[in-house]
Amino acid sequence: MAAASVEPDLPLVRRLEAVGFRAWPAASVVYDGSWQVRLTGGHPSKRVNCVVPLDPSDHRDLDLRLTKAAKRFADYGRTLVLRETPLAPPVMLEHLARSGWEVFETADVMTVDLSRLELPDTLDYLPSHDIGRFADACLSVAGDDPALKPALAEILSAIKPTSGFFMKQDPGNGAVATVLCVQDNDLAGILSLAVAPSHRRERLGTDMLSSALRWARISGARTAWLQVESTNEAAIALYQRFGFTKAYSYRYWRKS
């Protein structure tokens, strides 16, 4: 018999969604009822270009509101994407499935109690506050278009909570690993953890994550959270070794 699924803790979901919005802010945020409409013209990240329903009971006038959102996305040259969390109305999801929408990506939100982690007393890497340098490092490590730097720097500059930008530089190859830690009161978000393909299997991911979590704990955070694609088995295995467990999942939808 299959194990029964555990219902998500909705107050926790609401809190993690709120800190997630602050940790990776969109350039434009408007509300249609409880739906948050997030758009960022210069950067393609789905987290800053999606509609996020935030109330399970808010499912009135679905066709009209989806059409309105699609028009707003088209004005930005984007296709409408909807992000489904446990706060999304079930009636809305049934409507999307009947109307030809499809799920195209699933991600997990994971958390860990920082007080229980065995972390070194010293930091292997110290955080930087140089946004331009960190943006360059992120784009280089991910192999992304350097032309995205202004848009990425704009997102990083808009983060209001205390942030630490961690980078590992190789003298001959430039940046080889990055991680961003955003501390929002007692919660610390881990974002942009990446290691260059040429430097994988060198424990850089472990070292960078360890430094970011240690810095967060020293700074007063009690819980760390992160988001990871559900198919990224290597990353999930790394996070599980640190004690991260899944709090809930979310899915992206688009019309086929």
Side-chain angles (χ1 to χ4, degrees), residues 73-89:
F73 272 65
D75 289 343
Y76 276 70
R78 301 201 180 283
T79 300
L80 177 60
V81 170
L82 186 136
R83 184 168 169 269
E84 172 210 338
T85 74
L87 302 174

Side-chain angles (χ1 to χ4, degrees), residues 94-107:
E94 293 169 3
H95 178 81
L96 295 178
R98 288 196 307 268
S99 303
W101 289 64
E102 294 179 342
V103 173
F104 67 95
E105 186 177 302
T106 301

Side-chain angles (χ1 to χ4, degrees), residues 167-210:
M167 296 169 278
K168 166 66 175 175
Q169 300 281 344
D170 182 271
N173 298 298
V176 295
T178 63
V179 66
L180 164 62
C181 186
V182 179
Q183 187 196 342
D184 197 332
N185 295 309
D186 63 324
L187 295 173
I190 300 297
L191 302 96
S192 302
L193 176 60
V195 177
S198 59
H199 284 70
R200 288 176 187 165
R201 302 186 184 280
E202 297 177 9
R203 288 186 50 86
L204 282 179
T206 297
D207 293 344
M208 298 293 286
L209 181 57
S210 177

Side-chain angles (χ1 to χ4, degrees), residues 68-238:
K68 180 181 175 183
K71 171 63 168 60
R72 185 170 180 82
F73 272 65
D75 289 343
Y76 276 70
R78 301 201 180 283
T79 300
L80 177 60
V81 170
L82 186 136
R83 184 168 169 269
E84 172 210 338
T85 74
L87 302 174
V91 171
M92 181 185 196
L93 304 179
E94 293 169 3
H95 178 81
L96 295 178
R98 288 196 307 268
S99 303
W101 289 64
E102 294 179 342
V103 173
F104 67 95
E105 186 177 302
T106 301
D108 296 333
V109 179
M110 306 180 76
T111 62
V112 69
D113 181 349
L114 288 174
S115 68
R116 296 173 173 243
L117 288 187
E118 294 184 6
L119 295 170
D121 292 331
T122 57
L123 298 178
D124 293 322
Y125 305 99
L126 295 175
S128 167
H129 300 286
D130 188 331
I131 288 174
R133 188 164 164 245
F134 185 73
D136 284 333
C138 286
L139 295 171
S140 175
V141 170
D144 289 336
D145 186 350
L148 288 173
K149 180 179 178 178
L152 178 56
E154 184 177 10
I155 292 173
L156 297 172
S157 298
I159 300 172
K160 294 199 175 356
T162 302
S163 302
F165 305 106
F166 294 81
M167 296 169 278
K168 166 66 175 175
Q169 300 281 344
D170 182 271
N173 298 298
V176 295
T178 63
V179 66
L180 164 62
C181 186
V182 179
Q183 187 196 342
D184 197 332
N185 295 309
D186 63 324
L187 295 173
I190 300 297
L191 302 96
S192 302
L193 176 60
V195 177
S198 59
H199 284 70
R200 288 176 187 165
R201 302 186 184 280
E202 297 177 9
R203 288 186 50 86
L204 282 179
T206 297
D207 293 344
M208 298 293 286
L209 181 57
S210 177
S211 290
L213 293 175
R214 174 64 179 158
W215 175 79
R217 189 164 68 184
I218 291 172
S219 302
R222 295 196 296 272
T223 300
W225 62 270
L226 54 82
Q227 302 174 358
V228 58
E229 288 187 25
S230 300
T231 55
N232 191 341
E233 296 179 358
I236 291 172
L238 169 63

